[in-house]
Amino acid sequence: CTTESGAMIAMSGNMNITTSTHKKGSGGLLKALKRRVAGESLVLNHFEPEGSAGELWLGTTLAAQSLMELAKWAFGLPRPELVVAPPASFAYPSGHTAMILVFVGLLASFLLPGVNARRHQLILSCSAVLIMLVAAARLYLTVHWLSDIIGGLLLGGFMLALFYLIALRKPFRRVHPLPLLAATTLAWAVNIALFVVPDFAALLARYQLLPAT
């Protein structure tokens, strides 16, 4: 954000302020002199939020994970006993559903400010489809009740609302969308390669339906 010297935004306590005679990346002394002739300020202040997107992402994710584990322990609801080896943790709320909502919601929040407005609908639509696919997969694998999925969505939505409340009070620096998307995709691919592919057969066997009795 660039404003004339003395702007009220300078009263914000979470802004880095630098001063120059021209806007960053454009103009120079000649444009500054033109502004002065027009009765405007000779110098400009440049304001950048101090908040780090990484700090907000990590903090929100860890808080969501902790709250989800606490909720599972507090409710203590068992999972459906329909597969060979269901996960050992309690059922409610669905952790996968809650965390994919938080993860994808945060990713979209960091991507949207850095891309053209015409692509916002595409990003939001892809995010919604991915979240619904993960939620549906937990039901398909018969390791959750429908109420667990709803609970996971509510918990994830609550954490995103909390994130937006914090972000509005403490703006974060804009993130470049392409490096962020590339890093996220790479991390996801590495995770699948290390933890899913080697044990895929064993994981598949765990989710086999029990024979009907």
Side-chain angles (χ1 to χ4, degrees), residues 3-208:
T3 69
E4 291 187 12
S5 178
M8 289 295 292
I9 193 174
M11 297 178 65
S12 175
N14 62 326
M15 291 286 182
N16 287 324
I17 307 173
T18 57
T19 303
S20 69
T21 59
H22 57 280
K23 291 183 178 181
K24 289 187 175 182
S26 65
L29 183 59
L30 181 58
K31 285 193 174 183
L33 292 175
K34 288 181 178 179
R35 288 200 314 273
R36 187 58 180 170
V37 172
E40 300 177 10
S41 176
L42 180 63
V43 295
L44 296 173
N45 285 334
H46 309 282
F47 299 91
E48 294 183 356
E50 292 181 352
S52 167
E55 292 174 359
L56 283 173
W57 194 342
L58 180 61
T60 305
T61 303
L62 290 178
Q65 181 72 27
S66 301
L67 185 59
M68 182 266 296
E69 296 291 349
L70 179 62
K72 281 181 176 289
W73 176 83
F75 288 102
L77 297 179
R79 295 177 181 268
E81 296 183 358
L82 299 175
V83 295
V84 173
S89 60
F90 291 117
Y92 185 89
S94 169
H96 284 79
T97 305
M99 296 311 297
I100 193 64
L101 177 55
V102 171
F103 179 83
V104 174
L106 291 176
L107 180 61
S109 299
F110 295 135
L111 288 176
L112 291 179
V115 301
N116 191 293
R118 289 176 295 182
R119 298 181 181 177
H120 286 190
Q121 185 174 358
L122 175 62
I123 293 175
L124 293 175
S125 298
C126 291
S127 300
V129 168
L130 181 57
I131 293 167
M132 290 300 103
L133 283 175
V134 172
R138 303 310 289 170
L139 283 176
Y140 175 78
L141 292 172
T142 65
V143 292
H144 277 293
W145 310 102
L146 178 59
S147 58
D148 305 337
I149 304 301
I150 296 174
L153 292 174
L154 291 175
L155 189 147
F158 169 76
M159 291 307 305
L160 283 181
L162 185 60
F163 160 76
Y164 290 130
L165 179 62
I166 296 173
L168 286 175
R169 291 180 175 272
K170 186 180 180 181
F172 53 85
R173 290 187 293 271
R174 178 172 295 186
V175 179
H176 295 292
L178 289 181
L180 174 62
L181 193 58
T184 304
T185 303
L186 178 61
W188 216 330
V190 170
N191 180 70
I192 292 174
L194 293 179
F195 300 107
V196 177
V197 174
D199 300 322
F200 183 75
L203 292 172
L204 196 62
R206 287 180 53 187
Y207 290 109
Q208 293 297 314

